[in-house]
Amino acid sequence: MVADPETRARALALWEKAYRHQARGDLDGAVRLYKESIALCPTAEAHTFLGWTYSFQGKLDDAIAECHRAIDVDPDFGNPYNDIGVYLIEKRALDDAIPWLEKAKKAARYEPRHFPFLNLGRIYAAKGLLNRALEEFRGALEIAPHDPTAQRAVEKLRLKMN
């Protein structure tokens, strides 16, 4: 079902309001508003951000479920793939996170594109696969050459390897 432009605009306004609530730390209010937005017009963004809010509440399984819903709505949207990877990292399921982060790297529509590289680098570093980690961190720097997190990760890893 495709929403008419007016309904879609109301859903977007609710999504933006939910994000403001989330930014202020009103997570319950954000959840309510994201759900209202989704009820009007399901979007990958609203499902992904609802999942993100759930993750702040420690509800990682609910967060992952929302990311799956986001992917069902728009498989080209990369953020939920990366987010599933991050939630699996938080659950200490590093090997399970890898394919999701690889999918995020290939997604047609994704910003900030360097995040899955950083997350994969962290996984490989934690697993002691330092050359693979360095490769991922360098990939992040190719996309975002001035990102301080990627720069520090490369520097830290180089020191560790010497």
Side-chain angles (χ1 to χ4, degrees):
M1 172 185 92
V2 176
D4 63 85
E6 185 179 309
T7 301
R8 190 163 176 79
R10 285 196 332 263
L12 177 61
L14 283 167
W15 177 82
E16 290 171 343
K17 187 175 180 181
Y19 181 74
R20 288 192 300 274
H21 278 256
Q22 182 179 350
R24 285 196 316 259
D26 176 13
L27 301 181
D28 291 334
V31 165
R32 180 181 49 77
L33 291 164
Y34 285 131
K35 285 181 176 181
E36 285 181 35
S37 174
I38 291 166
L40 278 176
C41 178
T43 63
E45 291 83 357
H47 281 293
T48 301
F49 277 69
L50 175 56
W52 194 28
T53 305
Y54 284 150
S55 77
F56 292 146
Q57 294 176 323
K59 301 174 182 176
L60 295 179
D61 291 332
D62 292 337
I64 291 169
E66 285 303 320
C67 288
H68 283 292
R69 289 183 189 98
I71 292 166
D72 289 342
V73 171
D74 182 358
D76 291 335
F77 187 50
N79 299 60
Y81 296 103
N82 183 73
D83 290 359
I84 289 172
V86 169
Y87 304 146
L88 290 169
I89 291 168
E90 288 181 34
K91 292 179 77 162
R92 304 205 192 310
L94 301 184
D95 290 332
D96 294 338
I98 292 170
W100 292 102
L101 297 168
E102 289 293 347
K103 288 178 184 181
K105 286 168 50 174
K106 296 173 185 146
R109 190 168 71 87
Y110 182 45
E111 290 299 324
R113 187 158 290 284
H114 67 294
F115 277 14
F117 290 87
L118 290 172
N119 291 322
L120 280 164
R122 290 181 183 123
I123 288 173
Y124 292 132
K127 293 172 64 99
L129 302 170
L130 303 186
N131 287 325
R132 289 278 308 265
L134 188 58
E135 194 177 302
E136 295 297 337
F137 291 141
R138 285 183 176 151
L141 280 175
E142 285 178 26
I143 295 165
H146 303 293
D147 181 78
T149 303
Q151 290 171 345
R152 281 191 304 272
V154 168
E155 291 169 16
K156 184 178 175 183
L157 206 51
R158 280 188 184 145
L159 288 173
K160 194 174 190 177
M161 295 172 79
N162 288 333

